[in-house]
Amino acid sequence: VTGVQTCSLPISLERLEQILIEGDVGVRATQKLIDELRRLPAREREPDRMTAALRAQMRALLVDPPPEPSELPKKPWVTLVVGVNGVGKTTTIGKLAARHRAAGRSVLLVAGDTFRAAAIDQLAVWAERTGAQLVRQTPGSDPSSVVFDGIKAALARGVDVVLVDTAGRLHTKVNLMEELKKVRRVIDRVYSGAPHEVLLVLDATTGQNAVSQARTFSEAVDVSGVILTKLDGSAKGGVVIAISHELGLPVRYVGVGERVDDLQPFDPDAYLDGLLSAE
């Protein structure tokens, strides 16, 4: 993780504020952090103490993700995966399927992105690679219809986990967000109480735009957690703090590469170590 580099303290609070904002920590979270540092007595403003204080304050802003359960609370466990175009939803679903399969669970993938034939084909490849089942229809089908069939199939077959793919959509397109709400209602109608989690896939390189995406999707479908992709490379990972502080959403997983096992549970402490480390 790259982004906020603060080991060169002592540093003026004004300069530190600039570094935090440039690192995508966000204006609100940055202001809160700087205000807290201003309250430190002079004797605690030496470099090591300042860095330790900043780290503790950042840690307090992070929402802890729930631990991965060894046993699922409900079966089938239904996860709805949402996000804008191009963030890597389908690949992320494939990696989630691989994690569940590695834990010995049966998985059913639902190809709810019916707008792109390539998305359906891509999900089929992931199903074959991971040994997951797949429910699909022809491109252009009603997404709610595919999801209806998928949940029905999961209940009938007694699978452990259902991962529902959805078409990428701009969070500013009201009609597409309404369609997503319908998908969620259909899932609940077929299987009361589902989906059990709604995971929003965000691209770490989009910076503060990721926060506005998270806000809009949360309002539409009650997002329960975030998967942050492309956190390897040059992403300014401070956006994690902005999302946690402004929206109260935990980051569940981070994508740190292209391999199947490069989707990892988010570790807040390891994340802060990387964020605050020297280049």
Side-chain angles (χ1 to χ4, degrees):
V1 179
T2 60
V4 182
Q5 311 295 331
T6 61
C7 64
S8 59
L9 293 171
I11 188 172
S12 73
L13 291 180
E14 289 74 19
R15 174 58 184 148
L16 180 56
E17 182 174 14
Q18 181 183 356
I19 290 171
L20 292 172
I21 289 176
E22 289 175 352
D24 279 333
V25 173
V27 173
R28 293 181 186 176
T30 294
Q31 196 58 59
K32 182 174 177 61
L33 292 167
I34 294 299
D35 287 347
E36 291 292 329
L37 290 177
R38 281 200 176 96
R39 296 190 183 99
L40 290 176
R43 67 180 180 279
E44 293 185 17
R45 294 201 180 191
E46 59 190 57
D48 288 346
R49 290 193 177 190
M50 281 274 282
T51 300
L54 178 62
R55 190 188 194 285
Q57 289 157 18
M58 285 180 160
R59 185 65 181 85
L61 295 183
L62 289 174
V63 178
D64 284 333
E68 284 193 297
S70 55
E71 292 293 328
L72 297 174
K74 292 193 175 184
K75 294 183 181 180
W77 182 260
V78 180
T79 300
L80 178 64
V81 183
V82 301
V84 303
N85 309 71
V87 294
K89 279 191 313 305
T90 305
T91 298
T92 297
I93 288 172
K95 292 177 180 180
L96 282 173
R99 291 189 68 85
H100 284 297
R101 293 292 292 141
R105 301 176 185 128
S106 57
V107 177
L108 186 145
L109 306 180
V110 180
D113 182 354
T114 60
F115 293 110
R116 293 189 308 122
I120 300 173
D121 293 341
Q122 187 183 5
L123 205 63
V125 169
W126 275 108
E128 186 174 349
R129 286 178 66 182
T130 60
Q133 302 173 49
L134 176 70
V135 170
R136 62 187 289 178
Q137 290 183 13
T138 56
S141 300
D142 177 11
S144 294
S145 173
V146 185
V147 170
F148 179 91
D149 288 350
I151 302 300
K152 281 284 192 182
L155 292 168
R157 300 174 192 176
V159 301
D160 297 323
V161 176
V162 182
L163 299 174
V164 181
D165 194 10
T166 58
R169 62 201 69 223
L170 288 173
H171 58 296
T172 53
K173 298 292 185 181
V174 175
N175 59 323
L176 294 179
M177 297 305 288
E178 288 299 321
E179 181 185 80
L180 200 57
K181 292 179 186 179
K182 180 182 176 184
V183 166
R184 183 182 174 116
R185 289 196 301 270
V186 166
I187 295 173
D188 183 52
R189 189 161 65 240
V190 179
Y191 181 21
S192 181
H196 304 105
E197 60 181 354
V198 179
L199 297 181
L200 171 63
V201 182
L202 295 172
D203 181 336
T205 65
T206 61
Q208 288 303 294
N209 191 38
V211 180
S212 60
Q213 290 173 26
R215 181 175 290 107
T216 306
F217 275 95
S218 293
E219 291 168 353
V221 288
D222 194 20
V223 171
S224 57
V226 168
I227 299 176
L228 205 61
T229 63
K230 304 178 188 176
L231 202 59
D232 47 333
S234 61
K236 295 172 181 174
V239 70
V240 173
I241 294 174
I243 290 167
S244 285
H245 175 58
E246 295 191 32
L247 303 175
L249 289 174
V251 173
R252 296 287 308 281
Y253 300 95
V254 291
V256 294
E258 297 300 320
R259 297 175 305 178
V260 170
D261 58 355
D262 284 337
L263 185 72
Q264 302 171 357
F266 178 64
D267 181 336
D269 293 305
Y271 158 78
L272 284 175
D273 288 343
L275 197 67
L276 294 172
S277 67
E279 293 182 346

